[in-house]
Amino acid sequence: MAESAFGVVLRVLRESRQLSLRDLGALAEVDHAYIARIERGDKEPPPEETFTRLVRHLKATAHQVAVLRFLRTSNAIDPALALHALTNTEATPDILAIAATVVHRGAARPSPADLIERARRAKRIMDGQ
């Protein structure tokens, strides 16, 4: 199975807290092997109760939780875009959803920062601003 954006972001948050898989598993009362399979993309994102326990022990910011919650239900997000959104507070879930649907023409792909900026402009247009 391909690497999932949810798994990549979960791993980054876990590593930023300097927690091993076993540490996070023990804190959240979740099998560490299950967390590893989620991070690798071998398993779907966890159910809400497990998600809440994991996020609580990752001490994620409200923005990080919102991005992770969005990724939990959105399978087609590029992990690089998700990682950029994790650190860019302007990349709200609705902006991320727009950025994920951008169609690329030609061989060059825009950077995650460019995608977020384009999505922000599109949202302002859609909102009539």
Side-chain angles (χ1 to χ4, degrees):
M1 198 172 196
E3 190 173 53
S4 74
F6 181 89
V8 169
V9 169
L10 182 66
R11 182 177 58 243
V12 165
L13 290 174
R14 177 181 58 78
E15 290 173 350
S16 72
R17 291 266 302 126
Q18 299 180 341
L19 293 171
S20 69
L21 287 165
R22 288 184 188 274
D23 292 340
L24 180 58
L27 289 168
E29 298 177 359
V30 177
D31 181 29
H32 69 279
Y34 175 64
I35 298 170
R37 287 191 299 272
I38 292 170
E39 288 183 0
R40 284 193 311 265
D42 295 339
K43 284 280 190 189
E44 294 292 319
E48 182 63 30
E49 180 184 336
T50 305
F51 173 81
T52 301
R53 288 198 318 260
L54 290 170
V55 169
R56 181 180 326 128
H57 295 290
L58 291 172
K59 299 196 179 184
T61 66
H63 174 73
Q64 292 169 334
V65 172
V67 168
L68 202 55
R69 187 174 301 284
F70 171 77
L71 295 174
R72 201 172 142 247
T73 59
S74 303
N75 300 335
I77 305 290
D78 176 28
L81 179 60
L83 286 174
H84 180 75
L86 192 64
T87 59
N88 181 347
T89 56
E90 294 179 345
T92 59
D94 54 340
I95 297 293
L96 189 55
I98 294 168
T101 62
V102 170
V103 176
H104 309 289
R105 293 187 181 151
R109 291 183 113 24
S111 71
D114 288 340
L115 285 172
I116 294 297
E117 183 54 36
R118 289 178 187 179
R120 288 181 59 233
R121 284 195 310 259
K123 179 142 176 48
R124 281 195 303 267
I125 291 168
M126 290 187 302
D127 291 345
Q129 297 177 3

